[in-house]
Amino acid sequence: MSALSDHPPLPTSNSAYSRLDYWNDRFSKEKQFEWLLNYADLKSYINKHCLRTGLTNQSNVTVLLVGCGNSTLSPDMYADGYKSVTSLDYSESCINSMKEQFPEDDNFKWVLGDMTDLVQFQDKQFDLVVDKAAMDAIMVSEGDVWNPDPPVILLARKMCREISRVLKVGGLHLQVSFAQPHFRKKYLNGSHGDADMGVDEEGVCEEFGWDLLDEPVAGDNKDGCFHHFFYSMHKKRDGKW
């Protein structure tokens, strides 16, 4: 992780990361902070997975970043040539701060909203949806990773359903996370609890309509860095719920 010098002290409990009041207070004091990795670290992974799904021309790709925080990922992607970039966060102080630092234009927007209820957006609106540590914030209330608390399972399922809904068929959902594949893939495939619809013979999740690949990023390749994971979901068809 990297930060500017005005980064406030870390909370005494990870549970703070699930509270809106914590984020509003933090973003009112802190201009920018990068969780996990920055765009320069991730660019080759994003390009590789866009290539596998046919999103080969950045100037034609519409992007949504959920739980964007005060990362520069979205302005960096826009500066690198992505056609349209929309960044969403539920913290008003975050959105106001980022609008001030990186002003909007017709194709670059900051939106106040909930990543588990993307009411501002139409079905099949985006080619690419990116989550960098946003679902991780939900997981601070997970409890036992082998038997997660039901409200966390529900929130993760709502998030995935909404991302699938606003993602075009043929589009791509990318996630960067602390979470190891054994645990995170159960959320991304909707395989927790009685609502599990399974994965078909082609490896496509029935509920969300996407396949799922994963790979490590950074970690062993960077001295002094924890291992992180990159999840790539290619939407093959509409989900079922």
Side-chain angles (χ1 to χ4, degrees):
M1 295 182 286
S2 61
L4 298 186
S5 58
D6 59 352
H7 170 58
L10 293 175
T12 56
S13 170
N14 281 346
S15 63
Y17 294 125
S18 65
R19 299 198 328 262
L20 177 57
D21 65 312
Y22 166 78
W23 290 113
N24 274 330
D25 180 67
R26 175 170 173 164
F27 292 137
S28 70
K29 302 170 183 175
E30 174 190 74
K31 293 298 185 183
Q32 296 171 24
F33 186 86
E34 287 294 347
W35 292 97
L36 308 184
L37 301 164
N38 60 28
Y39 181 55
D41 297 321
L42 294 170
K43 180 176 177 178
S44 64
Y45 295 93
I46 295 171
N47 288 347
K48 177 172 71 174
H49 288 274
C50 283
L51 182 62
R52 88 172 176 97
T53 56
L55 300 177
T56 55
N57 186 349
Q58 290 178 191
S59 64
N60 291 327
V61 175
T62 54
V63 183
L64 171 66
L65 286 92
V66 295
C68 62
N70 54 4
S71 163
T72 63
L73 179 61
S74 49
D76 290 344
M77 291 181 72
Y78 190 54
D80 199 35
Y82 283 89
K83 172 185 177 181
S84 170
V85 178
T86 301
S87 305
L88 175 135
D89 202 281
Y90 79 153
S91 166
E92 188 171 7
S93 64
C94 170
I95 294 300
N96 289 340
S97 174
M98 296 307 277
K99 281 183 178 180
E100 184 176 319
Q101 295 178 73
F102 303 97
E104 295 180 306
D105 65 28
D106 289 345
N107 293 309
F108 183 75
K109 300 295 183 183
W110 300 99
V111 176
L112 181 66
D114 179 356
M115 65 188 180
T116 70
D117 188 16
L118 299 172
V119 294
Q120 301 92 335
F121 307 120
Q122 300 175 0
D123 294 357
K124 302 182 178 70
Q125 183 171 339
F126 297 98
D127 298 298
L128 175 61
V129 179
V130 180
D131 160 12
K132 185 164 75 80
M135 185 178 281
D136 288 359
I138 293 175
M139 295 300 143
V140 299
S141 303
E142 185 179 31
D144 182 357
V145 294
W146 298 98
N147 186 29
D149 287 349
V152 171
I153 295 173
L154 178 60
L155 274 179
R157 174 166 271 120
K158 287 175 66 178
M159 178 180 175
C160 288
R161 285 180 174 182
E162 281 293 274
I163 290 172
S164 176
R165 180 184 66 78
V166 303
L167 190 63
K168 297 176 184 178
V169 173
L172 186 63
H173 174 32
L174 300 177
Q175 184 180 102
V176 188
S177 174
F178 286 111
Q180 296 178 354
H182 178 79
F183 300 107
R184 183 52 54 88
K185 288 169 73 173
K186 292 180 180 180
Y187 291 101
L188 298 176
N189 273 332
S191 58
H192 271 303
D194 297 335
D196 180 13
M197 298 182 189
V199 175
D200 70 15
E201 65 278 1
E202 297 179 351
V204 177
C205 167
E206 295 283 3
E207 183 171 5
F208 308 132
W210 55 45
D211 66 10
L212 172 58
L213 299 179
D214 64 88
E215 62 179 306
V217 293
D220 293 344
N221 299 320
K222 287 195 173 184
D223 294 340
C225 183
F226 290 107
H227 218 72
H228 309 315
F229 297 91
F230 189 93
Y231 298 93
S232 173
M233 288 133 291
H234 182 201
K235 184 176 173 183
K236 301 295 187 70
R237 56 175 179 263
D238 289 336
K240 301 176 182 177
W241 57 81

